[in-house]
């Protein structure tokens, strides 16, 4: 006759085997889910990469345009200044685009989800910050571009129509003030909707969707951990 102790030991062993099998199946299920979502995450970041390629090409075009502007008008100081500003803006557009592309290429999808969230936060902060700088600068940089184009057509805006530039400068100051005011208000209690609006506008759909994928992985991982407990 089998002793109760032996039966209990066999029951415990069977229970442990079943528990280990369930844990293994759960781990496989989570890994399969994670692999699918990581693949989606990669796809979510590619539109941002494509946008940075376009920004890079725009920066190169501005660089060439600026060089054309000052080299063609070496005898006219204000047009030389306009060309140099355009050239500088081209460099300012190229450098952030290159850095953003590098951050996307170096994104490590094999690390824990918390580390991926940190990587995405770094990417997001860089993209938003440089986007604000370039956006604020463009409130004024369009005027040197107009000056260069007009000079190529035989019109010196600086001398013939300075009111256009003064008006443009006033609009630029107003635009920067509004952007800064909105940024400051968004950090105050009760203006959460403005913070979300600003963040969505600057971060773009690609980063929002990538963050949503990581949040989904984190929730699934948390639910799995709770179920195990």
């Amino acid at each position: 006759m089998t002793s109760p102790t032996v039966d209990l030991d066999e029951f415990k062993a069977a229970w442990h085997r079943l528990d280990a099998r369930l844990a293994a199946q759960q781990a496989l299920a989570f890994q399969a889910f994670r692999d699918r979502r990581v693949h989606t995450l990669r796809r979510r970041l590619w539109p941002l990469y494509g946008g940075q390629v376009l920004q890079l090409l725009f920066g190169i075009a501005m660089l060439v345009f600026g060089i054309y502007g000052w080299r063609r008008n070496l005898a006219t100081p204000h047009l030389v200044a306009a060309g140099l500003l355009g050239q500088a803006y081209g460099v300012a557009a190229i450098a952030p685009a290159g850095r953003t592309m590098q951050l996307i290429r170096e994104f490590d999808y094999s690390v824990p989800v918390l580390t991926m969230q940190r990587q995405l936060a770094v990417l997001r902060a860089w993209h938003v910050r440089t986007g604000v700088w370039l956006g604020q600068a463009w409130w004024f940089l369009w005027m040197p571009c107009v000056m260069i184009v007009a000079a190529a057509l035989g019109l010196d805006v600086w001398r013939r129509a300075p009111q256009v530039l003064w008006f443009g400068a006033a609009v630029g100051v107003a635009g920067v003030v509004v952007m800064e005011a909105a940024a400051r208000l968004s950090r105050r209690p009760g203006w959460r909707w403005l913070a979300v609006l600003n963040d969505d506008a600057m971060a773009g759909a690609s980063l929002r969707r990538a963050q949503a994928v990581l949040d989904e992985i984190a929730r699934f991982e948390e639910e799995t951990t709770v179920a195990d407990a």
Side-chain angles (χ1 to χ4, degrees):
M1 181 177 178
T2 306
S3 68
T5 302
V6 174
D7 290 340
L8 181 59
D9 290 340
E10 290 179 352
F11 176 76
K12 287 181 179 179
W15 179 263
H16 286 310
R17 286 195 299 272
L18 178 60
D19 189 52
R21 190 176 305 157
L22 289 173
Q25 291 176 349
Q26 195 169 47
L28 288 173
F30 173 72
Q31 189 60 47
F33 173 81
R34 177 190 165 96
D35 290 344
R36 290 195 302 271
R37 302 315 291 159
V38 164
H39 180 68
T40 301
L41 177 61
R42 289 177 185 271
R43 290 191 290 108
R44 291 288 186 264
L45 289 177
W46 274 113
L48 176 61
Y49 193 91
Q52 297 311 294
V53 171
L54 293 178
Q55 180 176 315
L56 186 67
L57 295 175
F58 170 76
I60 293 172
M62 281 296 299
L63 180 64
V64 173
F65 179 72
I67 293 173
Y68 163 82
W70 66 259
R71 290 192 64 178
R72 191 175 185 274
N73 301 282
L74 289 174
T76 311
H78 55 272
L79 291 177
V80 171
L84 290 174
L85 286 171
Q87 182 179 341
Y89 190 80
V91 174
I94 291 170
R99 175 58 176 161
T100 302
M101 293 164 68
Q102 180 185 16
L103 288 172
I104 295 173
R105 287 196 303 269
E106 293 177 350
F107 200 100
D108 190 351
Y109 299 92
S110 63
V111 296
V113 64
L114 182 60
T115 306
M116 283 195 286
Q117 287 177 326
R118 289 172 182 162
Q119 291 180 111
L120 190 65
V122 171
L123 172 60
R124 185 189 191 97
W126 170 257
H127 179 64
V128 170
R129 184 166 61 249
T130 56
V132 169
W133 293 341
L134 291 173
Q136 290 182 342
W138 187 250
W139 279 106
F140 302 96
L141 262 297
W142 65 268
M143 289 183 287
C145 296
V146 169
M147 290 170 62
I148 294 171
V149 172
L153 298 174
L155 175 65
D156 190 334
V157 177
W158 181 269
R159 291 171 178 165
R160 299 285 297 276
Q163 65 274 13
V164 173
L165 301 179
W166 287 114
F167 177 77
V171 171
V173 170
V176 171
V177 168
V178 169
M179 288 180 68
E180 282 297 315
R184 290 177 183 274
L185 279 175
S186 68
R187 292 192 287 270
R188 293 184 178 181
W191 291 85
R192 174 63 182 167
W193 64 271
L194 185 58
V196 173
L197 186 64
N198 272 345
D199 190 60
D200 286 351
M202 296 309 303
S206 185
L207 285 173
R208 289 199 308 273
R209 292 170 181 169
Q211 184 62 57
V213 172
L214 285 179
D215 291 344
E216 189 177 351
I217 296 174
R219 282 195 303 272
F220 190 87
E221 186 175 26
E222 184 179 354
E223 290 169 0
T224 303
T225 303
V226 170
D228 287 341

